[in-house]
Amino acid sequence: VAGLGQRKQAQVTIVDDDDAGILSFEKSEALYSTPATKDVTYPVTIRRSSGGCGEISVHYRFEGDSAVKGRDFEGQDGVLVLHHGQMEAGFLLTIKAVPRYDVVDVFRIILEDPHGGATLDGSKDGGPDKNIMTVSIEAECGSKDRIDKVKSLLHAKWDKSQVGHANWASQFKSALFVNGGEEEDEDDAEPPSVFDYVSHYFTVPWKLLFAFVPPVDYCGGWVTFVCALLMIGFVTMIIGDMAGLLGCVLCLPVDITAITFVALGTSLPDTFASKTAAEQDPYADASVGNVTGSNCVNVFLGLGLPWMIASLHWSIQGRSEEWNKRYQFADDLDWLGPPGMREQAFVVMAGSLGFSVAVFSGTAVVAIGILALRRKFVGGELGGPAGWKWCSAGTLTLLWLVYIGASAAQSISEAGGLSC
Protein backbone atom coordinates (compact mmCIF):
# COMPACT_ATOMS: atom_id res chain seq x y z
CA VAL A 1 0.00 0.00 0.00
CA ALA A 2 1.47 3.38 -1.00
CA GLY A 3 0.56 6.74 0.50
CA LEU A 4 1.63 10.41 0.56
CA GLY A 5 4.33 11.39 3.02
CA GLN A 6 4.44 14.52 5.20
CA ARG A 7 3.89 17.66 3.13
CA LYS A 8 6.97 19.88 2.70
CA GLN A 9 7.21 23.50 1.60
CA ALA A 10 10.09 25.37 -0.02
CA GLN A 11 10.44 29.01 -0.97
CA VAL A 12 11.96 29.72 -4.35
CA THR A 13 13.27 33.18 -5.23
CA ILE A 14 13.58 34.03 -8.90
CA VAL A 15 16.06 36.79 -9.63
CA ASP A 16 15.45 38.86 -12.73
CA ASP A 17 18.93 39.12 -14.20
CA ASP A 18 17.78 41.70 -16.70
CA ASP A 19 17.32 44.48 -14.07
CA ALA A 20 20.03 46.20 -12.04
CA GLY A 21 17.95 45.79 -8.83
CA ILE A 22 16.55 47.80 -5.94
CA LEU A 23 18.78 48.69 -3.01
CA SER A 24 17.75 48.99 0.64
CA PHE A 25 19.08 48.45 4.16
CA GLU A 26 18.62 45.00 5.64
CA LYS A 27 16.69 46.71 8.46
CA SER A 28 15.47 50.24 8.75
CA GLU A 29 16.12 50.52 12.51
CA ALA A 30 18.86 49.15 14.74
CA LEU A 31 19.43 49.29 18.51
CA TYR A 32 22.91 48.81 20.00
CA SER A 33 24.13 48.83 23.62
CA THR A 34 27.05 50.96 24.72
CA PRO A 35 30.14 48.76 25.20
CA ALA A 36 31.35 48.46 28.78
CA THR A 37 35.12 48.75 28.29
CA LYS A 38 36.14 48.93 24.60
CA ASP A 39 34.70 49.96 21.23
CA VAL A 40 32.66 47.34 19.32
CA THR A 41 32.28 47.08 15.53
CA TYR A 42 29.03 45.94 13.88
CA PRO A 43 28.35 45.15 10.17
CA VAL A 44 25.73 47.16 8.24
CA THR A 45 24.22 45.13 5.36
CA ILE A 46 22.80 46.54 2.08
CA ARG A 47 20.55 44.18 0.13
CA ARG A 48 19.88 44.08 -3.61
CA SER A 49 16.48 42.79 -4.77
CA SER A 50 14.41 42.52 -7.98
CA GLY A 51 17.47 42.12 -10.18
CA GLY A 52 21.18 41.40 -10.16
CA CYS A 53 22.40 42.44 -13.59
CA GLY A 54 25.57 44.44 -13.94
CA GLU A 55 27.79 46.31 -11.54
CA ILE A 56 26.09 48.97 -9.47
CA SER A 57 27.12 51.41 -6.75
CA VAL A 58 25.48 53.60 -4.13
CA HIS A 59 26.72 56.37 -1.87
CA TYR A 60 26.27 56.13 1.94
CA ARG A 61 26.89 58.71 4.62
CA PHE A 62 26.44 59.15 8.38
CA GLU A 63 24.28 61.90 9.87
CA GLY A 64 24.50 62.67 13.58
CA ASP A 65 21.59 63.59 15.79
CA SER A 66 21.78 63.27 19.57
CA ALA A 67 24.64 60.85 18.93
CA VAL A 68 27.74 62.70 17.74
CA LYS A 69 30.14 61.27 15.21
CA GLY A 70 33.59 60.81 16.70
CA ARG A 71 32.23 60.75 20.26
CA ASP A 72 29.48 58.11 20.17
CA PHE A 73 30.22 56.29 16.92
CA GLU A 74 32.77 56.04 14.14
CA GLY A 75 31.99 55.63 10.42
CA GLN A 76 33.46 56.83 7.14
CA ASP A 77 31.23 58.10 4.31
CA GLY A 78 31.85 56.19 1.09
CA VAL A 79 30.61 54.33 -1.97
CA LEU A 80 29.44 50.72 -1.85
CA VAL A 81 29.94 48.63 -5.01
CA LEU A 82 27.98 45.44 -5.86
CA HIS A 83 29.29 43.33 -8.74
CA HIS A 84 27.21 41.42 -11.29
CA GLY A 85 25.08 38.83 -9.47
CA GLN A 86 26.12 40.06 -6.00
CA MET A 87 22.94 40.39 -3.93
CA GLU A 88 24.29 42.02 -0.76
CA ALA A 89 27.26 43.97 0.53
CA GLY A 90 28.06 46.02 3.58
CA PHE A 91 30.40 48.21 5.60
CA LEU A 92 31.44 48.48 9.25
CA LEU A 93 30.03 50.69 12.02
CA THR A 94 31.91 51.25 15.29
CA ILE A 95 30.03 52.04 18.52
CA LYS A 96 32.34 53.72 21.03
CA ALA A 97 32.57 52.87 24.72
CA VAL A 98 31.13 56.11 26.09
CA PRO A 99 29.62 56.22 29.63
CA ARG A 100 25.87 56.45 29.26
CA TYR A 101 23.01 56.11 31.74
CA ASP A 102 19.27 56.09 31.12
CA VAL A 103 19.50 57.91 27.78
CA VAL A 104 19.16 56.79 24.16
CA ASP A 105 21.20 58.64 21.51
CA VAL A 106 20.25 58.49 17.82
CA PHE A 107 22.02 58.91 14.49
CA ARG A 108 21.21 57.94 10.88
CA ILE A 109 22.90 56.19 7.97
CA ILE A 110 21.69 57.38 4.54
CA LEU A 111 21.86 55.66 1.14
CA GLU A 112 21.62 57.97 -1.89
CA ASP A 113 22.71 58.57 -5.47
CA PRO A 114 22.67 54.99 -6.85
CA HIS A 115 24.51 54.27 -10.17
CA GLY A 116 24.49 51.49 -12.75
CA GLY A 117 20.72 51.48 -13.26
CA ALA A 118 19.89 50.59 -9.61
CA THR A 119 17.18 52.37 -7.68
CA LEU A 120 16.32 52.81 -4.02
CA ASP A 121 13.37 51.10 -2.33
CA GLY A 122 10.66 53.76 -2.21
CA SER A 123 8.67 51.88 0.45
CA LYS A 124 11.41 52.39 3.03
CA ASP A 125 12.09 55.42 5.19
CA GLY A 126 13.30 58.26 2.98
CA GLY A 127 11.33 57.43 -0.16
CA PRO A 128 12.78 56.82 -3.66
CA ASP A 129 15.47 59.52 -3.34
CA LYS A 130 17.22 58.19 -0.27
CA ASN A 131 17.05 55.22 2.07
CA ILE A 132 17.46 55.94 5.82
CA MET A 133 18.51 53.58 8.62
CA THR A 134 17.97 54.94 12.15
CA VAL A 135 20.49 53.71 14.71
CA SER A 136 19.83 54.05 18.46
CA ILE A 137 22.47 53.63 21.19
CA GLU A 138 21.38 52.78 24.74
CA ALA A 139 23.23 52.10 27.96
CA GLU A 140 24.40 48.55 28.52
CA CYS A 141 22.09 46.65 30.87
CA GLY A 142 24.86 45.50 33.20
CA SER A 143 26.41 48.96 33.35
CA LYS A 144 23.04 50.56 34.09
CA ASP A 145 22.40 48.03 36.87
CA ARG A 146 25.78 48.76 38.41
CA ILE A 147 25.16 52.51 38.29
CA ASP A 148 21.69 52.00 39.78
CA LYS A 149 23.20 49.94 42.59
CA VAL A 150 25.86 52.57 43.32
CA LYS A 151 23.24 55.33 43.12
CA SER A 152 20.97 53.46 45.51
CA LEU A 153 23.87 52.90 47.90
CA LEU A 154 24.83 56.58 47.79
CA HIS A 155 21.22 57.61 48.43
CA ALA A 156 21.07 55.24 51.40
CA LYS A 157 24.37 56.58 52.76
CA TRP A 158 23.21 60.16 52.27
CA ASP A 159 19.88 59.50 53.97
CA LYS A 160 21.68 57.79 56.84
CA SER A 161 24.09 60.71 57.06
CA GLN A 162 21.17 63.15 57.20
CA VAL A 163 19.61 61.07 59.98
CA GLY A 164 22.98 61.06 61.75
CA HIS A 165 23.21 64.86 61.54
CA ALA A 166 19.69 65.19 62.96
CA ASN A 167 20.45 62.72 65.77
CA TRP A 168 23.70 64.50 66.59
CA ALA A 169 21.87 67.83 66.82
CA SER A 170 19.21 66.27 69.05
CA GLN A 171 21.95 65.13 71.46
CA PHE A 172 22.82 68.75 72.21
CA LYS A 173 19.14 69.60 72.64
CA SER A 174 18.72 66.71 75.07
CA ALA A 175 21.82 67.86 76.96
CA LEU A 176 20.52 71.40 77.41
CA PHE A 177 16.98 70.57 78.56
CA VAL A 178 15.92 68.82 81.74
CA ASN A 179 15.18 65.13 81.06
CA GLY A 180 16.11 65.72 77.44
CA GLY A 181 13.08 68.00 76.85
CA GLU A 182 10.63 65.06 77.02
CA GLU A 183 7.90 67.26 78.52
CA GLU A 184 7.93 69.38 75.33
CA ASP A 185 7.78 66.39 72.96
CA GLU A 186 5.11 64.40 74.78
CA ASP A 187 1.88 65.91 76.05
CA ASP A 188 1.34 63.19 78.68
CA ALA A 189 4.92 63.34 80.05
CA GLU A 190 5.27 64.08 83.76
CA PRO A 191 6.94 67.41 84.62
CA PRO A 192 10.51 67.22 85.99
CA SER A 193 10.91 66.99 89.73
CA VAL A 194 13.09 69.22 91.91
CA PHE A 195 15.74 66.51 91.98
CA ASP A 196 15.70 66.41 88.15
CA TYR A 197 16.35 70.15 87.99
CA VAL A 198 19.13 70.05 90.60
CA SER A 199 20.92 67.07 89.02
CA HIS A 200 20.55 68.61 85.55
CA TYR A 201 22.24 71.88 86.49
CA PHE A 202 25.12 70.00 88.14
CA THR A 203 25.63 67.65 85.19
CA VAL A 204 24.88 69.89 82.18
CA PRO A 205 28.61 70.58 81.45
CA TRP A 206 29.26 66.84 81.29
CA LYS A 207 26.17 66.30 79.15
CA LEU A 208 27.36 68.91 76.67
CA LEU A 209 30.83 67.34 76.60
CA PHE A 210 29.45 63.85 75.90
CA ALA A 211 27.07 65.24 73.25
CA PHE A 212 30.14 65.68 71.03
CA VAL A 213 30.32 61.88 70.69
CA PRO A 214 28.84 61.16 67.23
CA PRO A 215 25.74 58.93 67.01
CA VAL A 216 25.99 55.37 65.70
CA ASP A 217 24.86 56.45 62.22
CA TYR A 218 28.45 57.09 61.10
CA CYS A 219 30.79 54.31 59.87
CA GLY A 220 28.65 51.55 61.28
CA GLY A 221 29.03 52.84 64.85
CA TRP A 222 32.84 52.62 64.95
CA VAL A 223 33.26 56.39 65.30
CA THR A 224 30.89 56.30 68.29
CA PHE A 225 32.79 53.38 69.80
CA VAL A 226 36.21 55.06 69.54
CA CYS A 227 34.98 58.47 70.75
CA ALA A 228 33.11 56.87 73.66
CA LEU A 229 36.28 55.03 74.72
CA LEU A 230 38.22 58.30 74.61
CA MET A 231 35.56 60.03 76.71
CA ILE A 232 35.54 57.18 79.23
CA GLY A 233 39.33 57.32 79.46
CA PHE A 234 39.23 61.09 79.97
CA VAL A 235 36.61 60.88 82.72
CA THR A 236 38.41 57.96 84.38
CA MET A 237 41.62 59.99 84.43
CA ILE A 238 39.85 62.92 86.10
CA ILE A 239 38.13 60.64 88.62
CA GLY A 240 41.42 58.95 89.47
CA ASP A 241 43.20 62.24 90.02
CA MET A 242 40.37 63.72 92.09
CA ALA A 243 40.09 60.56 94.18
CA GLY A 244 43.85 60.61 94.80
CA LEU A 245 43.69 64.24 95.91
CA LEU A 246 40.75 63.46 98.21
CA GLY A 247 42.66 60.57 99.78
CA CYS A 248 45.66 62.83 100.28
CA VAL A 249 43.53 65.47 101.99
CA LEU A 250 41.99 62.81 104.28
CA CYS A 251 45.46 61.42 105.07
CA LEU A 252 44.55 57.98 103.73
CA PRO A 253 47.21 55.61 102.37
CA VAL A 254 47.33 55.30 98.61
CA ASP A 255 46.15 51.68 98.56
CA ILE A 256 43.06 52.51 100.65
CA THR A 257 42.26 55.39 98.32
CA ALA A 258 42.63 53.02 95.38
CA ILE A 259 40.19 50.37 96.65
CA THR A 260 37.61 52.92 97.83
CA PHE A 261 37.31 56.27 96.05
CA VAL A 262 39.13 55.38 92.83
CA ALA A 263 37.41 52.00 92.56
CA LEU A 264 33.98 53.50 93.22
CA GLY A 265 34.51 56.31 90.73
CA THR A 266 35.70 54.05 87.92
CA SER A 267 33.31 51.14 88.61
CA LEU A 268 30.04 53.02 89.04
CA PRO A 269 29.55 53.33 85.24
CA ASP A 270 29.97 49.55 84.99
CA THR A 271 27.48 49.12 87.81
CA PHE A 272 24.82 51.16 86.03
CA ALA A 273 25.55 49.35 82.76
CA SER A 274 25.06 45.99 84.49
CA LYS A 275 21.83 47.25 86.07
CA THR A 276 20.50 48.32 82.65
CA ALA A 277 21.49 44.99 81.11
CA ALA A 278 19.80 43.09 83.94
CA GLU A 279 16.57 45.04 83.42
CA GLN A 280 16.48 44.70 79.64
CA ASP A 281 17.95 41.23 79.07
CA PRO A 282 15.97 38.10 80.05
CA TYR A 283 19.25 36.39 80.97
CA ALA A 284 22.03 37.31 83.40
CA ASP A 285 24.90 36.73 80.97
CA ALA A 286 25.22 40.36 79.87
CA SER A 287 25.13 41.90 83.36
CA VAL A 288 27.45 39.37 85.04
CA GLY A 289 29.73 39.23 82.00
CA ASN A 290 30.01 43.02 82.01
CA VAL A 291 31.33 42.95 85.60
CA THR A 292 33.94 40.27 84.95
CA GLY A 293 34.86 41.73 81.55
CA SER A 294 35.39 45.26 82.88
CA ASN A 295 37.59 43.98 85.70
CA CYS A 296 39.63 41.94 83.23
CA VAL A 297 40.18 45.07 81.15
CA ASN A 298 41.18 47.01 84.28
CA VAL A 299 43.68 44.36 85.38
CA PHE A 300 45.15 43.11 82.13
CA LEU A 301 45.00 46.25 80.01
CA GLY A 302 44.72 49.01 82.63
CA LEU A 303 47.75 47.71 84.54
CA GLY A 304 49.60 45.72 81.91
CA LEU A 305 49.87 48.42 79.25
CA PRO A 306 51.07 51.29 81.51
CA TRP A 307 53.50 48.98 83.35
CA MET A 308 54.94 47.74 80.06
CA ILE A 309 55.44 51.33 78.86
CA ALA A 310 57.03 52.28 82.21
CA SER A 311 59.34 49.25 82.10
CA LEU A 312 60.55 50.18 78.62
CA HIS A 313 61.04 53.79 79.72
CA TRP A 314 63.16 52.98 82.76
CA SER A 315 65.22 50.34 80.95
CA ILE A 316 65.99 52.71 78.06
CA GLN A 317 66.60 55.83 80.16
CA GLY A 318 69.45 54.35 82.20
CA ARG A 319 70.50 55.32 85.69
CA SER A 320 68.99 58.38 87.34
CA GLU A 321 69.55 60.06 90.68
CA GLU A 322 65.86 59.86 91.55
CA TRP A 323 65.74 56.09 91.05
CA ASN A 324 68.98 55.55 93.00
CA LYS A 325 67.70 57.63 95.87
CA ARG A 326 64.43 55.71 96.05
CA TYR A 327 65.35 52.10 95.28
CA GLN A 328 69.14 51.57 95.32
CA PHE A 329 69.20 50.70 99.03
CA ALA A 330 65.52 49.81 99.54
CA ASP A 331 64.55 46.50 101.19
CA ASP A 332 63.24 43.45 99.29
CA LEU A 333 64.89 44.43 96.01
CA ASP A 334 67.87 42.05 96.08
CA TRP A 335 66.64 40.49 92.82
CA LEU A 336 67.94 43.65 91.10
CA GLY A 337 71.43 43.07 92.54
CA PRO A 338 73.30 43.99 95.73
CA PRO A 339 72.57 47.42 97.24
CA GLY A 340 74.57 50.15 95.56
CA MET A 341 75.03 48.11 92.36
CA ARG A 342 71.43 47.44 91.39
CA GLU A 343 70.33 47.57 87.76
CA GLN A 344 67.72 50.20 87.09
CA ALA A 345 64.21 48.83 86.38
CA PHE A 346 60.57 49.73 86.84
CA VAL A 347 59.63 49.02 90.47
CA VAL A 348 56.19 48.94 92.08
CA MET A 349 56.32 48.24 95.81
CA ALA A 350 53.61 45.73 96.73
CA GLY A 351 52.81 47.01 100.21
CA SER A 352 49.62 45.28 101.41
CA LEU A 353 48.69 44.17 97.89
CA GLY A 354 49.24 40.48 98.63
CA PHE A 355 46.89 40.50 101.62
CA SER A 356 44.32 42.55 99.68
CA VAL A 357 44.37 40.08 96.77
CA ALA A 358 44.00 37.15 99.16
CA VAL A 359 40.94 38.73 100.82
CA PHE A 360 39.46 39.59 97.42
CA SER A 361 39.97 36.01 96.19
CA GLY A 362 38.20 34.62 99.28
CA THR A 363 35.23 36.98 98.94
CA ALA A 364 35.07 36.26 95.20
CA VAL A 365 34.80 32.50 95.87
CA VAL A 366 31.96 33.18 98.31
CA ALA A 367 30.21 35.41 95.73
CA ILE A 368 30.49 32.68 93.08
CA GLY A 369 29.08 30.19 95.59
CA ILE A 370 26.09 32.51 96.17
CA LEU A 371 25.41 32.64 92.42
CA ALA A 372 25.62 28.83 92.23
CA LEU A 373 23.16 28.45 95.14
CA ARG A 374 20.77 30.90 93.52
CA ARG A 375 20.82 28.95 90.28
CA LYS A 376 20.05 25.72 92.15
CA PHE A 377 17.33 26.96 94.53
CA VAL A 378 15.94 30.06 92.78
CA GLY A 379 16.50 29.16 89.13
CA GLY A 380 18.68 32.12 88.16
CA GLU A 381 21.55 34.34 89.25
CA LEU A 382 19.41 37.50 89.28
CA GLY A 383 15.87 38.28 90.38
CA GLY A 384 13.57 35.79 92.06
CA PRO A 385 11.49 36.14 95.24
CA ALA A 386 11.97 39.31 97.28
CA GLY A 387 13.51 37.43 100.20
CA TRP A 388 16.20 35.87 98.04
CA LYS A 389 16.90 39.18 96.31
CA TRP A 390 17.39 41.17 99.52
CA CYS A 391 19.38 38.38 101.16
CA SER A 392 21.69 38.08 98.12
CA ALA A 393 22.15 41.84 97.84
CA GLY A 394 22.88 42.20 101.55
CA THR A 395 25.38 39.35 101.56
CA LEU A 396 27.26 40.67 98.51
CA THR A 397 27.36 44.19 100.01
CA LEU A 398 28.68 42.68 103.26
CA LEU A 399 31.42 40.89 101.32
CA TRP A 400 32.46 44.23 99.83
CA LEU A 401 32.57 45.83 103.27
CA VAL A 402 34.61 42.91 104.60
CA TYR A 403 37.10 43.31 101.78
CA ILE A 404 37.38 47.08 102.29
CA GLY A 405 37.65 46.77 106.07
CA ALA A 406 40.23 43.98 106.10
CA SER A 407 42.39 45.58 103.42
CA ALA A 408 42.24 49.00 105.07
CA ALA A 409 43.13 47.56 108.49
CA GLN A 410 46.14 45.72 107.07
CA SER A 411 47.33 48.83 105.20
CA ILE A 412 47.03 51.04 108.28
CA SER A 413 48.78 48.42 110.39
CA GLU A 414 51.75 48.23 108.00
CA ALA A 415 51.91 52.04 107.78
CA GLY A 416 51.93 52.36 111.58
CA GLY A 417 48.64 54.32 111.67
CA LEU A 418 47.10 57.21 109.83
CA SER A 419 49.36 60.20 109.32
CA CYS A 420 49.79 62.94 106.75
Side-chain angles (χ1 to χ4, degrees):
V1 178
L4 293 175
Q6 186 177 3
R7 186 174 62 177
K8 301 291 185 177
Q9 289 183 349
Q11 182 177 352
V12 179
T13 302
I14 301 175
V15 178
D16 186 358
D17 291 336
D18 295 332
D19 291 334
I22 301 174
L23 297 174
S24 65
F25 286 106
E26 181 183 24
K27 49 186 178 181
S28 298
E29 295 182 353
L31 177 64
Y32 298 112
S33 296
T34 301
T37 55
K38 60 181 181 179
D39 300 347
V40 178
T41 301
Y42 297 97
V44 179
T45 303
I46 308 300
R47 284 191 173 175
R48 181 183 192 180
S49 61
S50 301
C53 180
E55 182 178 282
I56 62 173
S57 63
V58 65
H59 289 266
Y60 64 89
R61 62 182 175 89
F62 295 86
E63 182 180 85
D65 194 337
S66 57
V68 179
K69 185 177 179 179
R71 184 195 69 184
D72 300 299
F73 67 93
E74 288 287 354
Q76 294 295 329
D77 300 348
V79 177
L80 190 65
V81 178
L82 286 81
H83 300 288
H84 176 74
Q86 183 181 358
M87 304 308 295
E88 66 178 35
F91 52 88
L92 297 178
L93 166 66
T94 300
I95 303 297
K96 299 183 71 66
V98 177
R100 183 177 280 102
Y101 172 77
D102 202 22
V103 65
V104 177
D105 290 322
V106 177
F107 68 96
R108 285 171 288 275
I109 307 174
I110 301 174
L111 292 180
E112 57 188 2
D113 195 16
H115 291 84
T119 59
L120 298 176
D121 191 347
S123 64
K124 303 294 185 179
D125 186 16
D129 296 330
K130 60 178 67 175
N131 201 216
I132 300 174
M133 175 182 174
T134 303
V135 181
S136 302
I137 309 174
E138 66 175 2
E140 183 194 27
C141 257
S143 175
K144 187 175 184 298
D145 291 342
R146 288 191 296 270
I147 295 175
D148 285 338
K149 187 180 294 185
V150 173
K151 185 178 178 182
S152 176
L153 182 62
L154 289 176
H155 273 300
K157 291 289 186 182
W158 177 254
D159 292 341
K160 191 172 183 180
S161 176
Q162 292 296 101
V163 172
H165 294 340
N167 291 340
W168 204 348
S170 68
Q171 290 180 180
F172 288 92
K173 176 185 174 184
S174 299
L176 289 173
F177 293 96
V178 181
N179 290 341
E182 293 179 355
E183 70 279 0
E184 297 180 1
D185 300 333
E186 300 179 7
D187 295 335
D188 55 348
E190 296 183 2
S193 62
V194 176
F195 176 77
D196 292 333
Y197 278 105
V198 173
S199 62
H200 171 73
Y201 288 121
F202 276 106
T203 58
V204 68
W206 295 103
K207 291 180 179 180
L208 286 174
L209 175 64
F210 297 145
F212 283 97
V213 176
V216 296
D217 304 278
Y218 300 99
C219 301
W222 284 103
V223 178
T224 306
F225 177 74
V226 173
C227 292
L229 285 181
L230 294 177
M231 287 292 185
I232 292 173
F234 174 71
V235 173
T236 302
M237 178 185 68
I238 293 179
I239 291 175
D241 289 345
M242 292 298 102
L245 292 175
L246 179 61
C248 181
V249 171
L250 297 177
C251 299
L252 292 176
V254 176
D255 47 359
I256 296 179
T257 303
I259 63 174
T260 53
F261 299 119
V262 176
L264 281 174
T266 56
S267 298
L268 277 179
D270 295 330
T271 304
F272 289 115
S274 297
K275 174 180 177 294
T276 303
E279 292 174 346
Q280 297 179 353
D281 200 330
Y283 303 102
D285 300 300
S287 56
V288 176
N290 177 69
V291 174
T292 56
S294 62
N295 281 279
C296 288
V297 171
N298 292 337
V299 174
F300 301 135
L301 188 61
L303 288 180
L305 185 61
W307 284 10
M308 181 189 71
I309 296 174
S311 300
L312 294 174
H313 168 75
W314 284 107
S315 62
I316 294 173
Q317 184 181 18
R319 295 181 179 273
S320 67
E321 291 298 328
E322 180 184 357
W323 191 93
N324 289 332
K325 181 179 179 181
R326 183 176 297 182
Y327 301 116
Q328 194 62 251
F329 298 95
D331 297 333
D332 301 327
L333 293 179
D334 293 338
W335 54 277
L336 290 175
M341 301 178 61
R342 289 172 178 171
E343 294 292 333
Q344 184 165 297
F346 177 57
V347 178
V348 177
M349 305 301 292
S352 61
L353 180 63
F355 179 81
S356 178
V357 171
V359 174
F360 172 79
S361 301
T363 54
V365 170
V366 175
I368 294 173
I370 293 174
L371 295 179
L373 290 175
R374 284 183 54 87
R375 168 166 288 196
K376 181 176 181 180
F377 294 104
V378 183
E381 288 79 359
L382 302 177
W388 274 97
K389 288 193 293 186
W390 285 106
C391 182
S392 302
T395 305
L396 293 174
T397 304
L398 180 62
L399 290 176
W400 178 70
L401 293 175
V402 168
Y403 165 70
I404 294 295
S407 300
Q410 178 67 19
S411 177
I412 295 172
S413 175
E414 291 184 359
L418 295 176
S419 60
C420 292

PDB file of all heavy atoms in Angstrom, residues 407-418:
ATOM      1  N   SER A 407      41.263  45.001 104.157  1.00  0.00           N
ATOM      2  CA  SER A 407      42.392  45.580 103.417  1.00  0.00           C
ATOM      3  C   SER A 407      42.843  46.891 104.043  1.00  0.00           C
ATOM      4  O   SER A 407      44.053  47.166 104.158  1.00  0.00           O
ATOM      5  CB  SER A 407      41.991  45.802 101.958  1.00  0.00           C
ATOM      6  OG  SER A 407      41.629  44.600 101.328  1.00  0.00           O
ATOM      7  N   ALA A 408      41.884  47.729 104.453  1.00  0.00           N
ATOM      8  CA  ALA A 408      42.240  49.003 105.065  1.00  0.00           C
ATOM      9  C   ALA A 408      42.957  48.789 106.396  1.00  0.00           C
ATOM     10  O   ALA A 408      43.945  49.480 106.703  1.00  0.00           O
ATOM     11  CB  ALA A 408      40.993  49.857 105.256  1.00  0.00           C
ATOM     12  N   ALA A 409      42.491  47.844 107.196  1.00  0.00           N
ATOM     13  CA  ALA A 409      43.133  47.564 108.489  1.00  0.00           C
ATOM     14  C   ALA A 409      44.567  47.095 108.295  1.00  0.00           C
ATOM     15  O   ALA A 409      45.484  47.512 109.023  1.00  0.00           O
ATOM     16  CB  ALA A 409      42.321  46.520 109.249  1.00  0.00           C
ATOM     17  N   GLN A 410      44.785  46.203 107.334  1.00  0.00           N
ATOM     18  CA  GLN A 410      46.138  45.717 107.065  1.00  0.00           C
ATOM     19  C   GLN A 410      47.043  46.839 106.589  1.00  0.00           C
ATOM     20  O   GLN A 410      48.206  46.951 107.012  1.00  0.00           O
ATOM     21  CB  GLN A 410      46.082  44.607 106.007  1.00  0.00           C
ATOM     22  CG  GLN A 410      47.426  44.041 105.611  1.00  0.00           C
ATOM     23  CD  GLN A 410      48.102  43.275 106.746  1.00  0.00           C
ATOM     24  OE1 GLN A 410      47.425  42.862 107.710  1.00  0.00           O
ATOM     25  NE2 GLN A 410      49.408  43.103 106.649  1.00  0.00           N
ATOM     26  N   SER A 411      46.528  47.727 105.710  1.00  0.00           N
ATOM     27  CA  SER A 411      47.332  48.832 105.203  1.00  0.00           C
ATOM     28  C   SER A 411      47.707  49.799 106.318  1.00  0.00           C
ATOM     29  O   SER A 411      48.862  50.248 106.407  1.00  0.00           O
ATOM     30  CB  SER A 411      46.554  49.564 104.111  1.00  0.00           C
ATOM     31  OG  SER A 411      47.277  50.680 103.643  1.00  0.00           O
ATOM     32  N   ILE A 412      46.741  50.123 107.175  1.00  0.00           N
ATOM     33  CA  ILE A 412      47.026  51.044 108.279  1.00  0.00           C
ATOM     34  C   ILE A 412      48.008  50.428 109.250  1.00  0.00           C
ATOM     35  O   ILE A 412      48.910  51.097 109.780  1.00  0.00           O
ATOM     36  CB  ILE A 412      45.727  51.446 108.982  1.00  0.00           C
ATOM     37  CG1 ILE A 412      44.831  52.267 108.023  1.00  0.00           C
ATOM     38  CG2 ILE A 412      45.988  52.228 110.237  1.00  0.00           C
ATOM     39  CD1 ILE A 412      43.457  52.548 108.555  1.00  0.00           C
ATOM     40  N   SER A 413      47.864  49.114 109.480  1.00  0.00           N
ATOM     41  CA  SER A 413      48.783  48.418 110.395  1.00  0.00           C
ATOM     42  C   SER A 413      50.222  48.451 109.863  1.00  0.00           C
ATOM     43  O   SER A 413      51.155  48.709 110.616  1.00  0.00           O
ATOM     44  CB  SER A 413      48.323  46.971 110.580  1.00  0.00           C
ATOM     45  OG  SER A 413      49.254  46.244 111.357  1.00  0.00           O
ATOM     46  N   GLU A 414      50.397  48.198 108.562  1.00  0.00           N
ATOM     47  CA  GLU A 414      51.749  48.235 107.998  1.00  0.00           C
ATOM     48  C   GLU A 414      52.322  49.639 107.973  1.00  0.00           C
ATOM     49  O   GLU A 414      53.530  49.824 108.084  1.00  0.00           O
ATOM     50  CB  GLU A 414      51.722  47.662 106.579  1.00  0.00           C
ATOM     51  CG  GLU A 414      51.444  46.167 106.523  1.00  0.00           C
ATOM     52  CD  GLU A 414      51.523  45.639 105.094  1.00  0.00           C
ATOM     53  OE1 GLU A 414      51.783  46.456 104.180  1.00  0.00           O
ATOM     54  OE2 GLU A 414      51.323  44.427 104.907  1.00  0.00           O
ATOM     55  N   ALA A 415      51.436  50.646 107.819  1.00  0.00           N
ATOM     56  CA  ALA A 415      51.906  52.035 107.781  1.00  0.00           C
ATOM     57  C   ALA A 415      52.136  52.606 109.169  1.00  0.00           C
ATOM     58  O   ALA A 415      52.667  53.720 109.296  1.00  0.00           O
ATOM     59  CB  ALA A 415      50.912  52.909 107.019  1.00  0.00           C
ATOM     60  N   GLY A 416      51.744  51.883 110.214  1.00  0.00           N
ATOM     61  CA  GLY A 416      51.927  52.362 111.578  1.00  0.00           C
ATOM     62  C   GLY A 416      50.904  53.410 111.979  1.00  0.00           C
ATOM     63  O   GLY A 416      51.182  54.229 112.878  1.00  0.00           O
ATOM     64  N   GLY A 417      49.715  53.391 111.343  1.00  0.00           N
ATOM     65  CA  GLY A 417      48.639  54.321 111.669  1.00  0.00           C
ATOM     66  C   GLY A 417      48.452  55.366 110.589  1.00  0.00           C
ATOM     67  O   GLY A 417      49.247  55.463 109.647  1.00  0.00           O
ATOM     68  N   LEU A 418      47.389  56.148 110.768  1.00  0.00           N
ATOM     69  CA  LEU A 418      47.097  57.214 109.825  1.00  0.00           C
ATOM     70  C   LEU A 418      47.928  58.434 110.131  1.00  0.00           C
ATOM     71  O   LEU A 418      47.983  58.904 111.278  1.00  0.00           O
ATOM     72  CB  LEU A 418      45.595  57.563 109.868  1.00  0.00           C
ATOM     73  CG  LEU A 418      44.614  56.485 109.411  1.00  0.00           C
ATOM     74  CD1 LEU A 418      43.187  56.967 109.623  1.00  0.00           C
ATOM     75  CD2 LEU A 418      44.836  56.173 107.940  1.00  0.00           C
TER      76      LEU A 418
END
